[in-house]
Amino acid sequence: MNTKEKLKKILIEDLNLEELTPEDIDDNAPLFGEGLGLDSLDAVELVVIIQKHFGIEIKNMEEGREAFRSVEALAAYVDQRLATT
Amino acid sequence: MQIAVQGIGVVGCFGAGVAKMRQALLTGAVSPAAFDLPGCGTPLAISAFRADTSSLADFVPLKALRRIDNFSRLGLLGAYLALQDAGVPAAEKQERLGVVIASGYGATGSTFAFLDSFINDGDICASPTYFANSVHNSAAAYISIMLGATGPSSTVSQFHHSVPSALQTACLWLAEGRVDRVLFGAIEELSELIGYAWHRQRGRADIPEMTPLLTGAESAIPGEGAAFLLLTRREESQGGYCLLDRVITGRHLKPGFLPSPLDLLVLGADGRIEKGGDYAKLAKKATVACFTSLYGSMPGSPAFDIAIAALMLKEGKTFDSPGSAVCDFPATVATGGESLKGCCVSCLSLSDDDGFGLINLSKG
């Protein structure tokens, strides 16, 4: 399972997106607002989820904002951080 | 002040809604199922009466429920069903509606998931959603938000005294004129932690059925669910079920304090061996009924008893007490389908600390 698929599965399970399947999530759709419809509380949950599942701590707000644009961006961020540690 | 019961919303092992509860009362057919406790290290399962909240999707879109935990879902479903039963449109903004919740255990699933997240992953990984759901008034808050109820909300947790104490709060709000209606409800969730604690404390996993009217034998099976009542002041009531005359709490109840022997006494006896003898002693010479075998043993069970008592008063007849074929109480057990002899039904619950709750209901 690649990082994108793993992320989609984790998002559905940990954010209780019960009505969605991984196939329903567009790689490039925005995670917040339109698209997946996540909100500010989910942003905090996402930071926790990334740390818990990948051991990556997001300390920088700007870094997080860029990574949380879409599943595609988040997967690229995770892969890049894992490659440099 | 007399309070009127306008609507009932119940969720338990018997299903969701008054019709499902009534069906279970008529057939007596509710069976516990195995409740697996995978987090206990060794394979372990106990018998339990579990409740299903999937019909909540009939009232709220799934997306709106995603942050709401099982405990609050039980409460929300009970609340929506009580409004529906009273003919109150849920879409209508409930401006002078108060919400009072009673729970002996509280939201243990979320509370301990939140604590586990500290232990397993460190405090930096504590989930904000688990935290929000572990706050003890969160179920009342979700109900108020979803229904647009702008009256006060409160949650009372006094273990076996939770239901009568919370009911006293609800009656006080109505008497003071703080609100025009109160959604009162008891919620109990059977989390894995409660299941494990139950197993450690009571130890039996193989009890096939509850025999609550038998002293000297442990037959308690844990349950979960929610029982809600929509309450109004008598003068503002329309139709509905019955009147709530008095809620009395105290210690060391004497048999003489109980209502007339003509009136039906619904016992909260639930197969806990340590309380069976006390119920038997107090019920001496009374006409009794007991329905705990339909929803299980839990601190919030008196709210189910009130719901059933209200239904009996509305229909003017009794229901059979499931599990009463085995009975050694020195009391007359009411037979199902009989007309209620008196005009009152009282619900009695006893706590482990010699406390009691006595709730008197009448036809009005």
Side-chain angles (χ1 to χ4, degrees):
Chain A
M1 191 184 292
N2 66 30
T3 309
K4 268 191 287 193
E5 287 166 353
K6 195 174 172 186
L7 272 170
K8 287 178 185 178
K9 197 169 168 282
I10 290 168
L11 288 176
I12 288 168
E13 281 174 10
D14 288 18
L15 298 180
N16 293 320
L17 303 169
E18 292 169 73
E19 78 280 22
L20 294 180
T21 63
E23 294 72 34
D24 295 329
I25 301 176
D26 184 338
D27 292 356
N28 294 300
L31 295 182
F32 296 89
E34 286 179 31
L36 213 52
L38 304 185
D39 58 23
S40 57
L41 186 56
D42 293 310
V44 184
E45 284 284 4
L46 264 180
V47 172
V48 172
I49 287 167
I50 298 303
Q51 166 121 17
K52 200 167 106 183
H53 290 277
F54 299 98
I56 296 169
E57 198 176 339
I58 302 173
K59 285 182 174 168
N60 185 320
M61 279 279 286
E62 285 307 310
E63 209 174 275
R65 191 168 292 147
E66 183 62 24
F68 290 168
R69 274 192 300 112
S70 62
V71 168
E72 180 80 44
L74 188 54
Y77 174 78
V78 168
D79 286 340
Q80 184 255 322
R81 285 286 302 267
L82 289 176
T84 55
T85 52
Chain B
M1 165 178 270
Q2 280 183 315
I3 306 296
V5 178
Q6 289 288 113
I8 294 174
V10 279
V11 192
C13 190
F14 50 79
V18 176
K20 286 282 167 67
M21 182 177 79
R22 189 174 184 281
Q23 192 184 0
L25 284 162
L26 291 173
T27 61
V30 177
S31 302
F35 175 30
D36 291 320
L37 307 171
C40 297
T42 51
L44 184 63
I46 60 168
S47 284
F49 291 97
R50 308 294 308 279
D52 176 24
T53 60
S54 56
S55 56
L56 187 53
D58 297 343
F59 298 97
V60 191
L62 270 179
K63 198 171 181 180
L65 294 172
R66 72 183 179 91
R67 287 211 186 98
I68 300 179
D69 65 358
N70 182 51
F71 181 82
S72 295
R73 287 183 189 210
L74 285 164
L76 260 177
L77 182 53
Y80 274 111
L81 288 167
L83 286 181
Q84 186 184 57
D85 187 50
V88 177
E92 200 174 273
K93 199 173 182 200
Q94 312 295 328
E95 286 191 345
R96 286 181 52 79
L97 174 73
V99 178
V100 182
I101 303 295
S103 181
Y105 295 138
T108 53
S110 288
T111 302
F112 285 89
F114 179 62
L115 296 176
D116 283 346
S117 70
F118 276 86
I119 296 164
N120 296 335
D121 304 303
D123 55 1
I124 201 162
C125 287
S127 160
T129 306
Y130 280 146
F131 170 72
N133 285 326
S134 71
V135 175
H136 88 287
N137 204 35
S138 62
Y142 281 128
I143 292 168
S144 297
I145 292 166
M146 302 293 254
L147 297 176
T150 52
S153 72
S154 181
T155 301
V156 178
S157 187
Q158 287 181 242
F159 210 56
H160 286 109
H161 293 295
S162 302
V163 168
S165 298
L167 204 46
Q168 284 174 330
T169 300
C171 294
L172 202 60
W173 286 0
L174 287 164
E176 286 174 340
R178 289 182 73 182
V179 291
D180 293 335
R181 289 183 289 197
V182 176
L183 254 177
F184 159 83
I187 313 171
E188 298 296 353
E189 174 193 33
L190 197 52
S191 64
E192 198 177 327
L193 177 112
I194 294 292
Y196 180 66
W198 184 277
H199 168 73
R200 288 296 301 268
Q201 189 188 5
R202 312 205 78 86
R204 294 260 320 259
D206 58 344
I207 295 170
E209 62 172 347
M210 285 171 62
T211 50
L213 299 181
L214 184 65
T215 56
E218 171 73 29
S219 74
I221 296 173
E224 71 174 351
F228 274 68
L229 308 171
L230 182 67
L231 306 172
T232 62
R233 286 178 283 272
R234 181 185 190 173
E235 56 271 25
E236 288 152 26
S237 65
Q238 290 174 332
Y241 285 84
C242 64
L243 296 175
L244 176 59
D245 296 327
R246 282 195 310 176
V247 181
I248 309 162
T249 56
R251 285 179 193 278
H252 307 295
L253 180 66
K254 300 281 186 291
F257 201 64
L258 290 169
S260 148
L262 271 180
D263 295 330
L264 184 64
L265 185 63
V266 178
L267 300 175
D270 58 359
R272 286 177 300 136
I273 190 168
E274 64 273 25
K275 297 315 295 178
D278 294 341
Y279 277 109
K281 212 181 293 171
L282 285 166
K284 204 172 174 182
K285 295 180 185 168
T287 304
V288 302
C290 181
F291 302 105
T292 49
S293 305
L294 293 180
Y295 47 79
S297 173
M298 56 181 139
S301 64
F304 286 89
D305 291 338
I306 300 168
I308 294 169
L311 186 59
M312 287 194 290
L313 283 163
K314 186 180 181 180
E315 299 193 357
K317 61 181 185 184
T318 57
F319 293 105
D320 272 324
S321 301
S324 65
V326 189
C327 169
D328 63 1
F329 277 32
T332 305
V333 182
T335 309
E338 277 179 358
S339 294
L340 282 173
K341 293 188 179 73
C343 61
C344 299
V345 176
S346 296
C347 301
L348 175 67
S349 56
L350 302 177
S351 62
D352 293 340
D353 56 358
D354 292 323
F356 70 90
L358 186 64
I359 295 151
N360 301 143
L361 303 149
S362 67
K363 283 177 192 167

